[in-house]
Amino acid sequence: MPISALVTIAVEAASAAHEKQPKGLFLLFGVEMWERFSFYGMRAILPLFLADRVSGGLGWSHASASRLMSWYGFSAYTLPLAGGYLADRYLGTHRSMVVGGAIIAAGHFCLAAPGMLPFFLGLALVVLGTGFFKANASTMVGQLYREEDRRRDGGYTIFYMGINVGALLGQLVCGFFGENDRWGWHYGFGAAGVGMVLGLALYVALRPRYLKGIGDAPRPAAVAATRVTAPLTADERRHLAALLIIMAFTVPFWMAFEQTGTSMNFFASEHTRRALGGFHVPAAWFQMVNPFVLITTAPFLAALWTRLGERGRDPSTPAKMSIALVLMGLGFVVMMGGVLGSKDGALVSPLWLIGAYTLHTLGELCLSPIGLSFVSKLAPAKLASLMMGAWFFATGISELLAGQLAAFTDAVARGEAFHLFGGQADFFFIFVVSSFVSAIVLMLVSPKIKKLMA
């Protein structure tokens, strides 16, 4: 599917809303698309590169690769907390995005060079640049809307499509180069850098036309005033409490979801039939199911949330997130079925992975774009970027837990921790339980959250 067709889907999603979306939204869509092209494209092949012993990878164990991925993910999603603070107080979201995009591109080009020194330097630069970039792009979307604008949820769903268009293209391109013997891993990393440069160039060229005045640096006098004379109001404190509770429930969701890059990625590489005629499907390509399903279903949800909101029947944020957790648990039930079919070294149908990724993606649509909108609505204006960074900090905690748990995949599969179903099915069962239990608890505390939101 060409880029123009994917962007057309986004335009149709906007027109489905009752009111026309701001034009600046589609510029932010494009910028985020290319940044996520680089991020998800590189991440799709990174664990496979770490574990590869045949085609120029580092030859690490699955456990070591999973642990590095956990610390990489934790850092990439934690530093936006600091980046959001700097944007709120000093730089503004515009400058932060430009600085972050340049650093990210430099990091990917370091990864494209062979050797351990450029490898670790590249990872550090990508993490640092993501800290400046990530939270501020999402915050700028919120700055396009007035406080009570009903287009906000639909706008964030469209913006979230940009993330997934980029993820789809990045996994396709970087996976093709990285797992192709003719090119190799470092070409995949270099392709990610090219994507980031394209996104940065798009933003710098079109920002004066479509985002003029959005994301400017705060005035020193205004910053001083908020420090000294503008403490949080009682409503703002209640809203922050609601935000923190909601953020806590995102941790079990993303902890399970981020098995995509490690345990599920290795399952795709080693236990799934990947021959398609004379072509060997790259393992990284299975991760494309997630953005593809999201792109094709997001327009319908964008219109649904908008129309339900107009009629006063839009489900609450806790209700949507509970649905997301249930879908996550069901996805791992499917994965357990795939594992049980792969005993004795048999390769299983790719439909097991496709089914699990589809359920996980539907859950993601009920949680992530809605959560971004939730933060932009409830966070005090002077803390907007900081709280968006806190949202991603919760994701960083999830990344850390996801990778550390994935490091025990083989041990659990051997029955060294516990034995219920046998093999890796026991490992995936952990996420069935954590997701379902979290969904139940969230529904029980949702009345308290709604009271804090009022």
Side-chain angles (χ1 to χ4, degrees):
M1 183 180 293
I3 296 175
S4 59
L6 296 174
V7 174
T8 299
I9 292 176
V11 174
E12 291 173 352
S15 63
H18 185 66
E19 296 180 83
K20 187 177 181 181
Q21 293 286 351
K23 292 181 179 179
L25 174 66
F26 297 99
L27 174 55
L28 291 172
F29 173 104
V31 176
E32 185 75 359
M33 179 189 77
W34 284 114
E35 190 272 335
R36 293 290 93 179
F37 173 100
S38 69
F39 183 86
Y40 284 107
M42 184 274 278
R43 200 187 69 161
I45 62 174
L46 178 58
L48 301 175
F49 165 73
L50 293 172
D52 175 48
R53 291 183 171 89
V54 179
S55 304
L58 299 185
W60 292 10
S61 67
H62 287 180
S64 296
S66 297
R67 290 190 181 99
L68 177 70
M69 291 296 295
S70 76
W71 286 108
Y72 166 75
F74 173 74
S75 302
Y77 281 98
T78 298
L79 283 185
L81 188 62
Y85 176 82
L86 292 174
D88 282 333
R89 293 294 187 184
Y90 307 108
L91 298 176
T93 51
H94 161 61
R95 290 180 183 175
S96 293
M97 285 178 58
V98 173
V99 170
I103 296 174
I104 289 170
H108 286 304
F109 290 130
C110 284
L111 290 170
M116 296 303 292
L117 178 60
F119 173 73
F120 283 107
L121 175 61
L123 285 183
L125 289 173
V126 171
V127 164
L128 179 63
T130 302
F132 279 101
F133 189 100
K134 182 59 182 167
N136 294 303
S138 302
T139 300
M140 287 184 76
V141 174
Q143 292 169 345
L144 296 172
Y145 301 95
R146 297 183 303 274
E147 185 174 348
E148 300 298 330
D149 196 327
R150 291 181 177 179
R151 298 175 299 169
R152 186 185 297 259
D153 275 9
Y156 266 103
T157 301
I158 295 166
F159 173 74
Y160 204 69
M161 287 176 61
I163 294 175
N164 286 275
V165 171
L168 175 65
L169 296 173
Q171 290 156 359
L172 175 68
V173 174
C174 298
F176 172 78
F177 283 111
E179 296 188 56
N180 191 315
D181 292 336
R182 180 180 177 185
W183 303 102
W185 302 112
H186 297 291
Y187 281 89
F189 294 137
V194 171
M196 187 65 254
V197 169
L198 290 173
L200 189 59
L202 176 72
Y203 176 74
V204 171
L206 298 181
R207 191 251 178 182
R209 181 176 179 181
Y210 295 109
L211 293 169
K212 186 176 182 180
I214 301 293
D216 288 341
R219 296 178 180 178
V223 172
T226 58
R227 286 176 178 169
V228 178
T229 64
L232 294 177
T233 66
D235 280 345
E236 288 174 334
R237 289 194 296 270
R238 285 194 293 269
H239 290 171
L240 286 179
L243 278 174
L244 292 175
I245 295 172
I246 286 293
M247 288 177 188
F249 281 97
T250 67
V251 172
F253 179 88
W254 293 118
M255 179 184 70
F257 187 92
E258 292 303 333
Q259 296 304 310
T260 296
T262 50
S263 60
M264 294 177 72
N265 205 2
F266 292 132
F267 184 85
S269 177
E270 299 171 5
H271 301 291
T272 302
R273 290 197 301 270
R274 295 191 285 133
L276 186 62
F279 180 68
H280 199 60
V281 177
W285 280 12
F286 284 97
Q287 296 180 52
M288 292 165 53
V289 175
N290 168 255
F292 177 79
V293 172
L294 194 144
I295 291 165
T296 55
T297 57
F300 302 102
L301 276 182
L304 176 64
W305 301 145
T306 300
R307 289 169 183 169
L308 287 176
E310 291 170 352
R311 299 173 185 176
R313 301 174 60 186
D314 191 16
S316 67
T317 296
K320 292 174 183 174
M321 292 180 62
S322 297
I323 295 170
L325 286 161
V326 170
L327 290 168
M328 178 60 61
L330 292 175
F332 277 103
V333 171
V334 174
M335 283 303 302
M336 290 175 63
V339 170
L340 294 174
S342 69
K343 288 184 176 180
D344 303 320
L347 297 178
V348 300
S349 168
L351 293 177
W352 293 105
L353 274 169
I354 292 171
Y357 280 139
T358 298
L359 288 167
H360 291 176
T361 302
L362 295 175
E364 181 186 2
L365 266 173
C366 292
L367 181 141
S368 193
I370 304 305
L372 294 174
S373 178
F374 186 71
V375 174
S376 76
K377 285 187 286 190
L378 290 190
K382 57 180 172 288
L383 299 177
S385 294
L386 178 63
M387 293 312 299
M388 194 64 75
W391 173 267
F392 292 118
F393 175 76
T395 306
I397 297 295
S398 308
E399 292 270 358
L400 181 62
L401 294 174
Q404 295 297 323
L405 281 172
F408 293 98
T409 305
D410 294 339
V412 173
R414 292 192 297 267
E416 296 175 8
F418 58 91
H419 183 85
L420 293 174
F421 303 95
Q424 197 173 346
D426 287 341
F427 177 75
F428 289 137
F429 184 64
I430 294 172
F431 304 106
V432 175
V433 174
S434 65
S435 299
F436 287 163
V437 170
S438 298
I440 293 170
V441 174
L442 178 55
M443 287 305 298
L444 292 175
V445 302
S446 62
K448 176 66 174 178
I449 297 174
K450 293 177 184 178
K451 186 177 179 180
L452 291 170
M453 291 167 52

